Amino acid sequence: VLIEKIGSRSIAAPLGKRWPNDPKTQITAKNIKSSKCSHKVCISIMTLFFLLLQPFQFFNDLAGRIGRFISVIALAMMVFVILLQVFCRYILNNALPWPDEAARFLMLWLTSLMAPIALRQSGFVAIDTLHRYFSSHLVSTIALLLSLISLIVLLVAFQLGWKHVGSGSMFSSASLRIPLYLVGLKTIKMSLFYMYLSLFTGVTLMIFVNIEMILRQLLKIIDKNIFLRPIPNLEIERID
């Protein structure tokens, strides 16, 4: 029995009887009404979609919090190296060779880790004026179609990104170095593999988010009145 809860409140509405396969439990299933399938078929489909949705929600919640934490650090470091370069160039008249590339490296990872969060929270630019005049069922259908198209694009980007990561291992950064001399070893150039890996990581995380969005839209299409757990707003959680 798949029941999502917020606090102590169950999101499921009673069917008027307990779940038939679990007579001892007090948890009841959502009453699903659909003209396209029988009641038992709809419950089976809903249960399957909930089973698939749970791990994606958990993974995206965790990845979002970790990604946001790393992104904040990357943003702070990027601002620091840029200001350091400005100071060295215009005050000391002696520009450093590595801050420009370091800032690009940090910006790539910052973007790749925050893009899945923005996608999940509908933070990308979108034109939603027409949605106000459509029914909720039609809006969910359009959102599902767009999510499927996005998934195809992301899968293509996944393949291209992996090839790009492989090519990056053959090249090294022009200015970034790993200071192994601090531990008594020889300093080595940083491979572009780690820079190109940012794109692949971002696309992979966006695929997981996109699959979650597809499952949510499918559940809403089956039953427009279903109550799904809201997607966490990381900024609100931080303020609270």
Side-chain angles (χ1 to χ4, degrees), residues 227-240:
F227 183 84
L228 296 174
R229 191 207 69 183
I231 294 176
N233 189 315
L234 300 180
E235 184 63 22
I236 293 177
E237 288 182 355
R238 185 187 67 84
I239 295 175
D240 292 343

Side-chain angles (χ1 to χ4, degrees), residues 70-83 106 110:
I70 297 176
S71 297
V72 170
I73 296 176
L75 179 61
M77 294 177 63
M78 184 173 65
V79 172
F80 172 77
V81 298
I82 291 175
L83 293 178
L106 294 170
L110 167 65

Side-chain angles (χ1 to χ4, degrees), residues 165-210:
V165 169
S167 65
S169 61
M170 298 184 295
F171 303 96
S172 299
S173 171
S175 59
L176 293 180
R177 304 288 190 274
I178 301 178
L180 297 180
Y181 67 87
L182 297 176
V183 293
L185 300 177
K186 183 179 179 180
T187 299
I188 61 176
K189 292 184 177 182
M190 178 176 290
S191 173
L192 292 182
F193 168 85
Y194 301 104
M195 185 176 293
Y196 296 162
L197 184 63
S198 61
L199 172 63
F200 178 76
T201 303
V203 170
T204 303
L205 294 176
M206 292 177 72
I207 289 176
F208 280 95
V209 171
N210 194 266

